[in-house]
């Protein structure tokens, strides 16, 4: 039995009627019987959309029961009018709209005229819409009317001219509104989609209502319909040529252009010639009709761009009829011309979206060519056979694109190859495929390629489909083994397994359809199964893992009966070949096969154990095998089943407990993750099967129980479940003893977390087990002690588990314990050990969920803030976190004040970053967009921002030093004054830039202090000042100062980045409505700019970059145009500063331009990826001009900056394929930079060139430089570059 999860209830928005409509229905309703009016009235009064759907379905039976004389009934007319108004008011995606249309399709013929009149009136009102931003609703209604809705289509037919007029107006108005909103990406994107919809509706109108055009269109070119069609043709032509529109709009415009031309052009036989002339650029204006030249002048006279040519080809392939050569010789010529144009474009179009479109259109071309082939077209057969020039070029396209970085391009290349084979098979239909020279040559070429070429696999699979597996194996019987040997590389394993599946499936079909039906299975096993078993026993870890994951399930699915053969062979040698730490052996191979078979439903574990095929001892051997993956496979055999409700047997539970005893401390992270994942599946199975058992127990008296059925004693099985889970939890808590290893803690906490989550109390369900009932005060202490782990993932797991059990956890904690925990958290938050402040953060976050935290731990502070207790309805967490952040903020402000006096003392006694880290962690616990103490939070946010600036000002002299990392520990025996002087000498910057004045002032201040100290007993004074909480002497090193400053800068950046996320919460432009003001956001942006441009410490500017990215992403989603344009303004400013070569500039030209590339990366990457990427284009253009060497450069610094920034952009994965069109220019700039006499330029050029090579060819696939896996076909890389570089 399989329990099906309840489907998520569909939400349907209900419609409502206005007062006038309701009054009209009430006037026609009859209390004594149900009529159409009363049914509609009842339907309108329902508030549930699903109920309204059921009500609407009752309309047609009522209408069909009315006689023909009712057509004059005013009640029917009123009801049809209301139905029409309702239909046009509903959203296009509302299911009510489709249900209503479906019901009205069944309207009797004698009521159709009346219904059409009602709908025409409603549609006429819709067409009067003049607001551009309401056009979309009208367009959606027009599209709905033409989609399988007879009444809607009839209404549009009656208003055909009005609809045409509206579409003309909509296209022009939307285009004009788009121009007026240039720069406003959000509005423009919406308008683009509206424009796209308008074009689609116009196409639907022409396609589905052709009869309205015929008759008047051709007779008189002065008719309204003809003029309207000319206007639509002109608009589609303009949109096709407009490069500023979205690519989808241009593509659809290409389709519309061909469709409209096809509808208007006469004679139709000459249309292919017209399209050929446009594509080939022959510009034979004399042979073109005047109306066509007048409306499409740009297409006829101008040089068409590559994208326009591509979209025209797409339009011709999609909109013209290619079946059975219906367009004659002109159509064949056009087909070949399109192929020529597309192949020429393949070397020009490098931008990712265009390359994808090109590959898809080439695949469409092959489909069209296949459809155009007919027996009596010898010329086309000659041009398209496997030896022709066109097919040769298409094959070259496949060879160079079958390893393209884009999945879509690789997939389309495979389709192109398959279609080319099909085309050749169609042409040589009367010949023998096996002896055909083309197929023979193609097979030899593919088999000669190295197996690391990914495209080889899909192409060979296509050949197998054409020629059959046996014909391929006759050339080389070792092919299956060769492919299996390749599967030690995960990147090749999916391709190899797909090819193997195609081959052994085809091979099986060949055997079963042949004469040797009785003996074929042994031959099939020899070819496909025996090599598999040998590799599973002796192969290396990666190879066997990938074969089990990718190949074995497909083999068993093809031939489930082969499982018994595998078990028999492996069981025979399992005792003799147990395997080792490096090989699975026969036992490991057996476990893998059994696990895979059970997971895919090919066997029942109880069956094979009862039949003696596999013993319990064998499984135990697998569970404690020295090879990790054998242990995992044995565990998977117990946990994974095809049915989620299969009963867990007692033997399985005992074996699981046996496994837990020996495997919790696995040193491999991947093994630990697999253990947790598999046990999670087991827990889900226990939960699902327990629900079945509860149902069986409830229905026990109603059904016949069989002796061999688990239904016989469901309560007994449930009790065993409880005992098993309780024993499991006991062992897991025992494993969390103080001093236990990190792997043990990670595994135990992960498994306990899964138990708590899966067996959580759900409404209306009984749970077989509850973890909170197993919790006591000792176990709570054990979990809290996990916060002291130096591994943060252990802290995270412990915190999440405590949160799941917080009700029982807090009930077991007394006030004294909570007070001690809170005091410990506050002490740890100012520790000099970085991991202590992380512990403090988790402790405070844990305590924040306690209702009495303020009374128990914050009593003294609360006395000064009584207003916090005024509103008891406010959530406990928000109230507590607000109080904790205030307390931390007061402390850190005081510490900053002290740090201004002595940064050394701060680094030694109270580094500020711990407090800020705790504030950051506390903010993560809150829904920042749904806070209740808005006034309080506004004040806190303002104070946090100011605190961040002050802390940054204190520590920035160190992180902005020209050499912040190169510090040497001080001599322990030196005098105090010398010690201070040495520290200051080491941390003071050697730069002469003005922004280091603060550091120099600090030096002077400390020099005065050191002179004062020298007058007294130096050692006593310094020990007093530098004593810690335990009165121990703190020997301050320069590294301690650096760590304090670096981590403080890190936490400040992350805090400001988090605060920036508050900006979208503003409901209006009024600053009072948000927790953070526009001015504060601008200041934060200036702060990030300052530190990214001036920080020298890589850790500092990398972390400032993380916060700045959060800010730029927030700004890109803002509704405010001024905020949205801020990244562009910042980008232009920094580019101007780089170009200016100002000697007073503070930009760092060393350290690979330090934070400058990070700053520009964040600004460029924040741009929406679906747009035109104008910021990226502008940035690359400016940088390329700077990176190229000039004859008399005023300074090499701008060139160095440009090269370093380009390197960062080409390495940025977020830019993806959008950066690829600029690779060629980047290579040119890098190579020319090698010729510079300046070392800095040559160095930056080398780094840029290295980044470009990685971007083109990818990273190394193996450690061995000479490995075949690291080989790469040069053509596969150069197809992404324009011809000049190639």
């Amino acid at each position: 039995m399989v329990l099906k999860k309840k489907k998520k209830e569909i939400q349907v928005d209900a419609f409502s009627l206005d007062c006038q409509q309701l009054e009209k229905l009430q006037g026609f309703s009859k209390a004594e019987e149900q009529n159409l009016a009363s049914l509609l009235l009842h339907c309108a009064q329902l508030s549930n959309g699903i109920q309204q759907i059921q009500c609407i379905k009752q309309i047609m039976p009522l209408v069909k029961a009315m006689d023909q004389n009712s057509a004059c009934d005013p009640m029917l007319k009123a009801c049809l009018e209301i139905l029409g108004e309702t239909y046009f008011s509903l959203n296009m995606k509302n299911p009510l709209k489709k249900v209503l249309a479906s019901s009205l399709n069944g309207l009797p013929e004698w009521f159709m005229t009346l219904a059409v009149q009602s709908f025409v009136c409603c549609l006429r009102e819709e067409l009067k819409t003049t607001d551009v931003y309401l056009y979309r609703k009208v367009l959606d209604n027009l599209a709905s009317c033409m989609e399988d809705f007879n009444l809607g289509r009839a209404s549009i037919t009656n208003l055909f001219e009005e609809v045409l007029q509206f579409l003309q107006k909509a296209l022009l108005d939307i285009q004009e509104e788009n121009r007026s909103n240039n720069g406003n990406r959000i509005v423009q994107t919406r308008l683009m989609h509206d424009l796209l919809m308008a074009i689609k509706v116009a196409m639907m109108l022409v396609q589905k209502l052709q009869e309205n055009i015929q008759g008047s269109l051709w007779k008189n070119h002065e008719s309204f319909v003809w003029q309207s069609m000319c206007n639509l043709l002109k608009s589609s032509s303009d949109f096709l040529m407009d490069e500023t529109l979205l690519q989808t709009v241009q593509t659809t415009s290409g389709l519309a252009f061909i469709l409209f031309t096809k509808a208007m052009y006469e004679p139709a036989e000459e249309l292919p010639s017209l399209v050929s002339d446009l594509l080939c650029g022959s510009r034979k204006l004399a042979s073109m009709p005047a109306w066509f030249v007048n409306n499409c002048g740009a297409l006829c006279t101008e040089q068409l761009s590559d994208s326009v040519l591509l979209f025209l080809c797409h339009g011709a392939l999609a909109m013209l009829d290619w079946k059975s050569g219906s367009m004659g010789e002109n159509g064949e010529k056009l087909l070949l011309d399109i192929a020529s144009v597309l192949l020429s474009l393949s070397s020009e179009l490098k931008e990712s979206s265009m390359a994808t479109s090109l590959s898809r259109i080439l695949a469409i071309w092959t489909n069209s060519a296949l459809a155009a082939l007919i027996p009596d077209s010898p010329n086309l057969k000659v041009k398209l056979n496997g030896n022709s020039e066109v097919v040769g070029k298409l094959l070259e396209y496949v060879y160079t694109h079958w390893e393209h970085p884009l999945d879509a391009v690789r997939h389309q290349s495979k389709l192109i190859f398959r279609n080319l084979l099909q085309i050749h098979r169609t042409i040589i239909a009367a010949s023998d495929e096996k002896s055909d020279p083309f197929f023979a040559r193609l097979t030899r070429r593919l088999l000669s390629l190295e197996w690391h070429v990914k495209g080889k696999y899909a192409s060979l699979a296509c050949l197998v489909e054409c020629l059959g597996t046996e014909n391929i194996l006759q050339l080389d019987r070792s092919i299956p083994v060769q492919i299996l040997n390749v599967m030690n590389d995960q990147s090749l394993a999916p391709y190899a397994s797909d090819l193997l599946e195609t081959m052994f499936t085809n091979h099986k079909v060949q055997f079963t359809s042949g004469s040797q039906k009785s003996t074929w299975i042994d031959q099939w096993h020899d070819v496909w199964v025996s090599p598999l078993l040998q590799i599973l026993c002796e192969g290396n870890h990666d190879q066997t893992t990938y074969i089990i994951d990718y190949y074995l399930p497909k083999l068993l699915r093809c031939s489930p009966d082969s499982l018994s053969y595998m078990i028999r062979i492996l069981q025979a040698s399992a005792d003799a070949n147990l395997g080792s730490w490096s090989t699975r052996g026969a036992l490991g191979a057996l476990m893998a096969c059994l696990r895979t078979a059970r997971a895919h439903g090919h066997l029942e574990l109880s069956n094979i154990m009862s039949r003696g095929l596999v013993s319990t001892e064998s499984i135990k051997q697998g569970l404690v095998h020295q090879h990790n993956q054998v242990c995992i496979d044995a565990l998977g055999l117990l946990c994974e089943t095809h049915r989620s409700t299969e009963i867990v047997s007692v033997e399985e539970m005992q074996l699981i407990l046996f496994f837990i005893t020996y495997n919790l401390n696995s040193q491999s992270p991947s093994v630990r993750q697999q253990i947790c994942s598999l046990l999670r599946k087991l827990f889900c199975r226990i939960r699902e099967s327990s629900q079945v058992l509860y149902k069986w127990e409830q229905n026990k008296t109603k059904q016949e129980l069989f002796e061999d059925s688990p239904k016989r004693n469901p309560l007994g099985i449930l009790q065993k479940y409880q005992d098993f889970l309780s024993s499991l939890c006991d062992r897991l808590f025992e494993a969390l003893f103080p001093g236990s290893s990190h792997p043990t803690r990670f595994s135990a906490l992960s498994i306990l977390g899964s138990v708590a989550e899966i067996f959580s109390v759900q409404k209306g369900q009984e749970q077989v087990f509850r973890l909170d009932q197993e919790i006591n005060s000792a176990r709570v202490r054990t979990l809290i002690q996990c916060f002291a782990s130096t591994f943060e993932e252990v802290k995270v797991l412990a915190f999440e588990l405590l949160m799941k059990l917080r009700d029982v956890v807090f009930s077991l904690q007394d006030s004294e314990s909570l007070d001690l925990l809170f005091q410990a958290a506050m002490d740890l938050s100012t520790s000099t050990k970085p991991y202590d402040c992380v512990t403090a953060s988790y402790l405070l976050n844990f305590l924040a969920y306690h209702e009495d935290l303020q009374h128990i731990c914050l009593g003294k502070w609360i006395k000064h803030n009584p207003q916090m207790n005024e509103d008891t309805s406010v959530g406990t967490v928000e109230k507590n976190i607000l109080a904790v952040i205030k307390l931390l903020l007061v402390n850190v402000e005081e510490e900053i004040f002290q740090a201004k006096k002595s940064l050394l003392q701060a680094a030694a006694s109270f580094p500020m970053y711990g407090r800020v880290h705790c504030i950051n962690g506390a903010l993560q616990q809150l829904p920042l967009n749904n806070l209740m103490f808005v006034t309080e939070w506004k004040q806190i946010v303002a104070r946090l921002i100011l605190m961040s600036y002050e802390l940054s000002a204190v520590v920035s002299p160190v992180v902005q030093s020209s050499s912040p990392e190169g510090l040497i520990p001080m001599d322990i025996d030196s005098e105090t004054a010398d010690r201070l002087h040495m520290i200051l000498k080491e941390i003071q910057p050697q730069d002469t830039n003005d922004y280091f004045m603060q550091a120099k002032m600090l030096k002077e201040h400390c020099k005065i202090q050191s002179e004062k100290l020298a007058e007294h007993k130096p050692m006593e004074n310094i020990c007093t000042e530098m004593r810690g909480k335990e009165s121990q002497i703190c020997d301050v090193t320069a590294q301690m100062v650096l760590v304090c400053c670096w981590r403080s800068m890190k936490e400040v950046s992350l805090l400001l980045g988090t605060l920036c996320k508050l900006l979208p919460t503003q409901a209006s432009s009024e600053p009072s409505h948000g927790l953070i003001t526009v001015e504060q956001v601008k200041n934060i942006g200036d702060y990030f700019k300052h530190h990214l441009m001036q920080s020298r410490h890589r850790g500092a500017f990398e972390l400032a970059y993380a916060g700045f990215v959060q800010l730029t992403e927030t700004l890109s989603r803002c509704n405010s145009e001024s905020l949205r344009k801020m990244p562009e303004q910042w980008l232009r400013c920094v580019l101007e500063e780089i170009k200016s070569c100002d000697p007073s500039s503070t930009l760092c030209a060393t350290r690979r331009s330090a934070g400058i590339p990070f700053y520009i990366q964040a600004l460029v990457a924040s741009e929406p990826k679906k747009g035109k990427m104008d910021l990226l284009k502008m940035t690359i253009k400016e940088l390329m001009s700077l990176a190229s060497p000039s004859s008399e450069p005023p300074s090499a610094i701008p060139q160095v900056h440009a090269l370093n920034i380009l390197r960062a952009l080409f390495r940025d994965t977020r830019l993806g394929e959008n950066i690829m069109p600029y690779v060629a220019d980047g290579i040119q700039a890098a190579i020319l930079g090698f010729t510079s006499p300046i070392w800095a330029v040559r160095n930056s050029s080398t780094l840029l060139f290295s980044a470009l090579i990685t971007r083109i060819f990818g990273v190394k696939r193996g450690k061995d430089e000479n490995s075949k896996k690291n080989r790469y076909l040069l053509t596969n890389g150069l197809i992404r570059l324009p011809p000049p570089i190639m």
Side-chain angles (χ1 to χ4, degrees), residues 1164-1201:
V1164 171
S1166 67
E1167 192 175 16
K1169 303 299 179 291
K1170 293 183 179 180
K1172 290 287 185 178
M1173 300 295 290
D1174 294 327
L1175 285 186
L1176 177 63
K1177 293 176 182 177
M1178 181 267 291
T1179 304
I1180 294 291
K1181 182 180 178 182
E1182 293 285 353
L1183 293 174
M1184 288 299 179
S1185 64
L1186 291 174
S1188 302
S1190 56
S1191 56
E1192 296 182 0
S1195 171
I1197 292 178
Q1199 187 179 2
V1200 171
H1201 282 317

Side-chain angles (χ1 to χ4, degrees), residues 937-1036:
W937 281 112
K938 276 186 183 180
Q939 299 172 4
I940 289 294
V941 167
R943 287 177 60 189
L944 287 173
I945 293 173
L946 290 176
M947 177 273 294
S948 300
Y949 294 158
E950 291 180 4
L951 178 54
S952 177
V954 172
V955 300
S956 59
V958 175
V959 296
Q960 291 178 358
S961 167
S962 60
S963 181
E965 316 90 332
L967 305 180
I968 304 171
M970 297 174 297
D971 187 0
I972 296 176
D973 298 325
S974 62
E975 293 295 326
T976 304
D978 293 335
R979 184 178 302 179
L980 289 172
H981 181 70
M982 187 178 296
I983 292 174
L984 293 169
K985 184 176 181 181
E986 286 177 314
I987 68 172
Q988 80 170 9
Q990 303 302 318
D991 303 60
T992 58
N993 294 347
D994 293 336
Y995 55 83
F996 288 125
M997 287 301 295
Q998 293 180 359
K1000 296 174 183 177
M1001 290 169 62
L1002 177 64
K1003 174 185 173 184
E1004 293 169 4
H1005 171 75
C1006 293
K1007 183 178 179 182
I1008 295 170
Q1009 294 296 321
S1010 64
E1011 290 174 356
K1012 290 181 180 180
L1013 289 171
E1015 297 173 4
H1016 300 83
K1017 296 180 180 180
M1019 190 58 71
E1020 280 185 19
N1021 287 349
I1022 195 64
C1023 292
T1024 302
E1025 183 175 297
M1026 299 299 177
R1027 284 181 190 275
K1029 291 182 170 56
E1030 298 178 0
S1031 300
Q1032 294 178 348
I1033 298 175
C1034 299
D1035 189 29
V1036 188

Side-chain angles (χ1 to χ4, degrees), residues 1146-1246:
T1146 59
L1147 300 181
C1148 176
T1150 59
R1151 296 174 176 270
R1152 300 172 188 172
S1153 298
I1156 303 171
F1158 287 84
Y1159 181 74
I1160 292 181
Q1161 260 184 283
L1163 294 172
V1164 171
S1166 67
E1167 192 175 16
K1169 303 299 179 291
K1170 293 183 179 180
K1172 290 287 185 178
M1173 300 295 290
D1174 294 327
L1175 285 186
L1176 177 63
K1177 293 176 182 177
M1178 181 267 291
T1179 304
I1180 294 291
K1181 182 180 178 182
E1182 293 285 353
L1183 293 174
M1184 288 299 179
S1185 64
L1186 291 174
S1188 302
S1190 56
S1191 56
E1192 296 182 0
S1195 171
I1197 292 178
Q1199 187 179 2
V1200 171
H1201 282 317
L1203 292 168
N1204 289 331
I1205 295 166
L1206 284 170
R1207 171 178 176 264
L1209 293 177
F1210 283 115
R1211 294 181 65 188
D1212 194 337
T1213 56
R1214 292 173 303 164
L1215 294 176
E1217 289 297 309
N1218 292 314
I1219 197 73
M1220 285 309 300
Y1222 311 105
V1223 165
D1225 293 333
I1227 288 180
Q1228 188 175 8
I1231 293 175
L1232 293 176
F1234 295 157
T1235 63
S1236 173
I1238 301 171
W1239 178 87
V1241 175
R1242 297 198 302 274
N1243 181 52
S1244 296
S1245 298
T1246 304

Side-chain angles (χ1 to χ4, degrees), residues 1247-1266:
L1247 295 172
L1248 172 60
F1249 187 77
S1250 175
L1252 286 165
I1253 293 300
T1254 303
R1255 169 60 81 172
I1256 297 170
F1257 299 106
V1259 297
K1260 286 201 303 183
R1261 299 171 178 83
K1263 294 181 181 179
D1264 182 10
E1265 292 284 351
N1266 298 319

Side-chain angles (χ1 to χ4, degrees), residues 118-136:
S118 301
F119 268 70
V120 164
C121 291
C122 297
L123 181 58
R124 184 174 283 118
E125 288 300 315
E126 286 282 303
L127 296 175
K128 293 179 181 177
T129 302
T130 56
D131 188 343
V132 176
Y133 296 97
L134 296 179
Y135 282 170
R136 181 55 183 265

Side-chain angles (χ1 to χ4, degrees), residues 1107-1146:
F1108 189 54
V1109 166
Q1110 293 179 336
L1111 171 61
T1112 55
E1113 289 178 349
T1114 300
L1115 292 175
S1116 67
R1117 295 192 300 266
C1118 281
N1119 291 325
S1120 169
E1121 186 173 357
S1122 60
L1123 288 174
R1124 201 170 50 251
K1125 283 189 169 293
M1126 208 173 286
E1128 182 179 353
Q1129 295 168 1
W1130 290 338
L1131 184 59
R1132 292 185 184 278
C1133 288
V1134 72
L1135 290 175
E1136 283 300 320
E1137 188 172 354
I1138 291 172
K1139 286 195 296 185
S1140 65
C1141 304
D1142 188 354
S1144 64
S1145 173
T1146 59

